[in-house]
Amino acid sequence: MSLRFYHPSADGTAVRRAGFCVSLSVLALAAPAQAQTEDRTSATPARTSEDSAQGTGVALEEIIVTAQRREQSQLDVPISVTAFSQGEIQRRNFQGVDDYFAVTPNVSFTSTGSRDRKSLSIRGVTNQLSPDNNIRPQTFGFYIDDFNVAAGTANPQIVDIQRIEILRGPQGTYFGRNAVGGAINITTNQPSQDLYAQGSVEYARFDTVDFYGIFNTPVVEDVAAVRFVGRYRESDGNIRNVNPIGGGNDSEYKYGKGSVRLTPTDRLTVDFTAAYTDEVVGMREGIPSGVLAPFSQNLYGGIVDGAIPDEVGFWPENTNRVNFNRPQEVGTEFYYLTGRVRYDAEHFTVTSISGYIDSKTFLQGDIDGSSLDLFFETKPIERDSLSQELRVQSYDNRWVDWTVGLFAARDRGNTEQETFAGADNPFGLPEDFQVTSSFSDAEVESYAAFGEAVVHITDRLDLTAGGRFTYEKQDIRQFNTSAGQINNLVEDDTDFTDFSPRISVSYAWADALTSYATVSRGFKAGGVQINPDLDDTAYAPEILWNYEIGLKGEFFDRRLRVNTALFYMDWNDLQTEFAFGVVDENDVISFFSGIENAASARSLGAELEVQALITPHLTLGGGVGFLDAQFQDYDDAFVEGQIVDLSGERMPNAPRWTLNGVADYSRPLFGDTEGYIRAEWFFRSSMIADKRGLIFEGFPWEVPSFHNVNLRAGLTRGRYQFQAYIENLLDANYYTNAYEKAFIGGVHLEPSFQTFGFRFTVTFE
């Protein structure tokens, strides 16, 4: 027999002709009440979220965001943005991106087996490329204190966070990197001149233990301060391996961060930060579905007729058991270093952000997912990114606010994938024989100049105009081996330039009622890919036009807040991935993957978010997202080895409806003890996880709709806090994604589960 393996580097794929995509949306607005007339330009929140919840005031907390790289009330920003304050983050017990995406309209995610293997989607704009690419595709900006960590992780740690913002639509004129689909902007607490310490411990189901600690202290009065954060979390996980080797999705998570703030003068602030994360999970999380994908059918056809239950059965009868005979391991280790310098001149601010991130992800061990010893693999991916941003912004300008900036980055990545035969492999190969391998590395250089100006035409009318110029160059090198022979050594490079404008008009009908209209362009560079079976090894850039109108208002003396937006997005050359494997009559194994362009696509939809202070003790809130995203012209899609017409089909990872609601009741109980109880609910309608779900019908390719209910309660007395929770209160049985890895038990599903626990926190200040 002979064996071949074609894997065109994690960055690469076939070029397809591109087109054009459009989107429109309609949303019913909450009936406006009498608008309040207080000044809303202060950058300091009127009250904390805890105050609002505990009824010590009579108005909702003012939401402050930095979406335009300056502190502003959310009402003043002509962008559709969902923001979570520090108090809300703590009460909801956010652990990662999946938690805050679940309660944000028109966003979604799929996961393929671990915390960091997430594919995010905002308004149907999704990174439809593999998380195993040499260079992580930059569909979204993922900023922590102005530094983009997307090159190293899709799910950074959530601890000691001041604010999380999810920005919808292209964000290129204020942010360092291109962000064609939107941005996640995380602001952490910085070192201060106050002595502060906090410790917290959580215990939850599946023997889950979570510790974190925060320590802040001044070093030199009014000049220097340091802040340290540490976290450790371990869990037995909700999935058990019944095989004698044991294990399952048990996990261990470590996180540490140290920050130094220097303020040698009133005008100069210098911040240095170092952060480290290490996560290891005992398996790619998933339960066998019993449905074999075409490649698995060909690969295992000579062993069994269909998927094998393997003494654990299939979903939904089996929701927590697997049976694999070799250990598995999946995880991520990364660190980043940043230096941020801010100088406040008389009429403008100069900010410099320097950063370096180094990331190592790995996937190794059993890949057939069964008690048979068929195949196993190793797949380490090493990435690093170095970036520099320089930004100048005006402030205290009566007529115009402006921002200009320069950005440069160098990203590198290296993949070494090897697949080996086990003792029971279907081809009679010696155990540990290397079946296939792929070695590749890539380097991307990016340069950009960006700027934006907000002209205050009148006291109520603002005109915003900006743009971004981008140059990007890519270099890729790869070779494969098959049956121990090196082949297909290829090197290639390409470059791209782009100018993306943005224009917006906003009008303040009253001091707390603003509407806006925005037109913006997003850009995601194309690339080159290595595959001897592709006629053209280039793929085109992805271009998106976003048309949006919105309204933001506060009514009834700031007891009711309404944010709503309608949008229509239009794509050219949407980048999508294809991957499939075949086994021919001569037992030749071939695996192909690549990137192609859908000629055109469009997305239209609407968002509505409402928050109401019903009584001094009761707050209600919720959000609704409607999305209609589909391919418009895509008659040559490559799916599972065949050319199909996907024109008019819905786009993957784009549920039509996303809804959420929350009710929070808080009040003093006795003495200085205060308590709260809150119920949370969210819903996601059915969706297709990837393109294969558009040609294969039914289970498990279409991910069904699901909803979830969480219940939380807590007590606060002085420096002590106690929280208890039940997540998935109704023990709903659903799955959030379906993915394939040549499993003999079929496509694997990530199952839902119920968990409950408590957290105790003590604060010293």
Side-chain angles (χ1 to χ4, degrees):
M1 67 170 286
S2 64
L3 299 152
R4 302 198 315 261
F5 182 84
Y6 300 145
H7 185 82
S9 125
D11 309 318
T13 74
V15 62
R16 300 275 171 170
R17 60 194 187 82
F20 192 18
C21 106
V22 201
S23 62
L24 178 67
S25 64
V26 180
L27 178 64
L29 304 181
Q34 208 172 6
Q36 62 153 19
T37 57
E38 68 176 275
D39 176 51
R40 57 179 172 81
T41 60
S42 170
T44 302
R47 310 169 55 248
T48 67
S49 58
E50 291 88 343
D51 290 338
S52 296
Q54 294 164 3
T56 59
V58 292
L60 292 169
E61 168 199 11
E62 183 182 16
I63 299 178
I64 301 300
V65 298
T66 55
Q68 298 185 132
R69 289 310 189 219
R70 63 182 83 231
E71 289 192 344
Q72 296 173 283
S73 168
Q74 187 185 35
L75 294 174
D76 295 332
V77 179
I79 297 171
S80 179
V81 54
T82 296
F84 300 98
S85 67
Q86 179 169 301
E88 187 74 359
I89 292 167
Q90 292 173 345
R91 287 208 175 185
R92 289 184 180 269
N93 197 27
F94 285 161
Q95 299 293 324
V97 66
D98 42 344
D99 291 324
Y100 51 87
F101 262 44
V103 291
T104 303
N106 278 339
V107 302
S108 180
F109 68 91
T110 60
S111 178
T112 54
S114 74
R115 172 190 168 89
D116 195 48
R117 299 176 64 84
K118 297 285 191 295
S119 178
L120 309 180
S121 174
I122 299 179
R123 288 181 172 175
V125 182
T126 186
N127 175 23
Q128 299 193 41
L129 310 183
S130 169
D132 293 335
N133 287 357
N134 284 331
I135 308 294
R136 282 184 184 262
Q138 301 291 321
T139 301
F140 307 104
F142 216 132
Y143 289 87
I144 299 180
D145 299 325
D146 287 354
F147 176 60
N148 193 335
V149 299
T153 179
N155 196 3
Q157 178 56 256
I158 303 298
V159 62
D160 199 28
I161 302 298
Q162 184 183 109
R163 184 173 54 251
I164 299 174
E165 304 164 25
I166 297 98
L167 286 65
R168 306 174 187 89
Q171 307 293 330
T173 57
Y174 281 110
F175 289 86
R177 289 183 184 264
N178 276 305
V180 64
I184 298 94
N185 188 30
I186 296 177
T187 303
T188 70
N189 293 306
Q190 297 299 310
S192 69
Q193 288 293 311
D194 300 317
L195 185 63
Y196 176 89
Q198 185 177 86
S200 185
V201 58
E202 176 183 0
Y203 183 80
R205 192 183 180 191
F206 309 116
D207 210 17
T208 301
V209 180
D210 186 338
F211 304 90
Y212 77 76
I214 304 167
F215 178 71
N216 184 101
T217 184
V219 178
V220 179
E221 185 176 359
D222 296 331
V223 174
V226 296
R227 193 177 187 94
F228 300 100
V229 181
R231 186 169 205 163
Y232 178 82
R233 182 182 182 90
E234 65 177 20
S235 176
D236 289 344
N238 61 297
I239 300 175
R240 179 171 61 93
N241 182 14
V242 302
N243 197 278
I245 71 166
N249 66 332
D250 49 303
S251 61
E252 184 180 48
Y253 191 91
K254 305 171 187 175
Y255 171 76
K257 177 185 174 185
S259 302
V260 179
R261 167 160 286 190
L262 305 176
T263 51
T265 72
D266 291 341
R267 293 182 179 270
L268 180 63
T269 302
V270 181
D271 293 306
F272 297 103
T273 299
Y276 172 80
T277 296
D278 183 16
E279 178 196 29
V280 179
V281 183
M283 60 171 285
R284 289 184 72 179
E285 299 176 353
I287 298 299
S289 69
V291 178
L292 289 176
F295 177 55
S296 296
Q297 292 175 11
N298 292 333
L299 186 62
Y300 302 128
I303 304 176
V304 293
D305 183 14
I308 62 172
D310 224 350
E311 299 179 3
V312 295
F314 306 128
W315 194 91
E317 287 74 22
N318 171 25
T319 62
N320 63 354
R321 299 182 309 280
V322 293
N323 187 348
F324 52 88
N325 68 305
R326 280 182 182 265
Q328 290 185 23
E329 223 175 39
V330 58
T332 301
E333 180 183 17
F334 72 92
Y335 69 88
Y336 67 85
L337 308 170
T338 64
R340 183 173 58 176
V341 180
R342 171 175 169 149
Y343 180 76
D344 296 321
E346 186 173 353
H347 297 293
F348 60 88
T349 295
V350 181
T351 305
S352 170
I353 305 105
S354 306
Y356 176 77
I357 188 166
D358 185 281
S359 171
K360 297 178 176 63
T361 64
F362 56 88
L363 177 66
Q364 59 192 30
D366 192 305
I367 59 171
D368 55 71
S370 75
S371 58
L372 299 175
D373 187 18
L374 300 172
F375 299 101
F376 62 98
E377 74 170 350
T378 63
K379 192 173 188 179
I381 304 173
E382 297 186 4
R383 305 181 180 99
D384 68 85
S385 176
L386 179 67
S387 65
Q388 172 64 51
E389 179 178 348
L390 181 66
R391 189 171 65 239
V392 183
Q393 291 180 278
S394 67
Y395 65 85
D396 292 337
N397 194 315
R398 182 176 179 182
W399 303 109
V400 60
D401 296 316
W402 51 265
T403 300
V404 294
L406 298 173
F407 177 81
R410 188 266 299 142
D411 300 330
R412 296 182 301 195
N414 175 267
T415 302
E416 299 181 4
Q417 187 278 339
E418 297 177 279
T419 302
F420 301 92
D424 302 325
N425 75 85
F427 305 112
L429 297 171
E431 186 176 1
D432 300 332
F433 180 84
Q434 185 189 81
V435 180
T436 59
S437 70
S438 177
F439 301 89
S440 62
D441 57 72
E443 181 171 323
V444 176
E445 295 181 6
S446 303
Y447 304 93
F450 56 90
E452 189 160 290
V454 182
V455 182
H456 308 297
I457 298 174
T458 70
D459 289 342
R460 297 190 178 275
L461 179 63
D462 288 347
L463 173 65
T464 303
R468 178 188 185 90
F469 176 79
T470 300
Y471 171 79
E472 184 167 305
K473 181 183 178 184
Q474 301 182 10
D475 292 277
I476 294 177
R477 178 179 182 271
Q478 175 176 318
F479 67 89
N480 304 322
T481 67
S482 182
Q485 299 297 315
I486 296 178
N487 54 59
N488 303 324
L489 174 61
V490 187
E491 294 181 280
D492 205 349
D493 64 83
T494 188
D495 59 80
F496 303 91
T497 59
D498 175 75
F499 178 74
S500 294
R502 177 177 183 265
I503 187 167
S504 179
V505 178
S506 62
Y507 186 79
W509 303 92
D511 287 338
L513 181 62
T514 303
S515 61
Y516 68 90
T518 297
V519 178
S520 55
R521 185 179 191 267
F523 169 79
K524 178 180 175 181
V528 293
Q529 55 195 349
I530 311 304
N531 193 321
D533 291 281
L534 299 177
D535 295 331
D536 192 341
T537 58
Y539 57 96
E542 185 174 312
I543 306 296
L544 180 149
W545 282 96
N546 177 64
Y547 307 90
E548 179 177 335
I549 59 174
L551 182 141
K552 303 181 179 187
E554 291 179 342
F555 315 102
F556 300 116
D557 295 326
R558 287 184 60 197
R559 288 177 174 270
L560 174 67
R561 177 179 296 128
V562 177
N563 294 329
T564 184
L566 317 174
F567 63 90
Y568 176 78
M569 297 196 303
D570 182 13
W571 265 292
N572 282 343
D573 294 331
L574 173 65
Q575 296 168 8
T576 72
E577 187 172 55
F578 64 87
F580 69 98
V582 296
V583 181
D584 65 19
E585 63 277 5
N586 298 315
D587 289 338
V588 175
I589 302 173
S590 299
F591 185 81
F592 303 88
S593 67
I595 299 171
E596 59 186 6
N597 295 106
S600 66
R602 69 109 170 100
S603 176
L604 60 89
E607 291 123 15
L608 171 65
E609 292 183 293
V610 178
Q611 187 178 18
L613 188 64
I614 305 301
T615 74
H617 305 296
L618 177 62
T619 303
L620 301 180
V624 178
F626 170 77
L627 178 66
D628 183 11
Q630 63 179 241
F631 297 114
Q632 292 289 91
D633 182 7
Y634 196 12
D635 57 10
D636 55 356
F638 202 28
V639 186
E640 288 294 335
Q642 53 184 308
I643 302 295
V644 296
D645 186 355
L646 298 183
S647 303
E649 296 288 345
R650 62 194 293 194
M651 291 175 56
N653 202 5
R656 186 175 295 271
W657 292 99
T658 48
L659 298 87
N660 72 87
V662 61
D664 188 302
Y665 185 79
S666 308
R667 66 173 304 140
L669 297 177
F670 48 86
D672 62 348
T673 301
E674 298 180 342
Y676 73 87
I677 184 169
R678 63 186 286 144
E680 304 164 352
W681 169 79
F682 62 86
F683 170 84
R684 190 179 80 180
S685 62
S686 64
M687 71 171 193
I688 302 299
D690 59 45
K691 286 193 302 184
R692 292 177 303 171
L694 300 175
I695 66 171
F696 301 134
E697 296 182 356
F699 174 82
W701 309 105
E702 180 174 349
V703 180
S705 62
F706 66 89
H707 68 94
N708 205 346
V709 177
N710 301 327
L711 186 64
R712 307 183 192 278
L715 296 172
T716 301
R717 182 182 178 89
R719 66 182 57 174
Y720 304 104
Q721 295 180 27
F722 176 81
Q723 298 170 299
Y725 62 86
I726 303 177
E727 296 179 353
N728 193 4
L729 175 67
L730 305 180
D731 202 15
N733 194 16
Y734 59 88
Y735 61 94
T736 58
N737 189 30
Y739 66 92
E740 180 191 13
K741 190 65 178 175
F743 297 109
I744 199 169
V747 172
H748 271 39
L749 316 172
E750 291 200 30
S752 63
F753 59 92
Q754 184 185 79
T755 187
F756 41 82
F758 63 87
R759 177 178 289 278
F760 178 74
T761 304
V762 59
T763 303
F764 301 91
E765 54 185 339

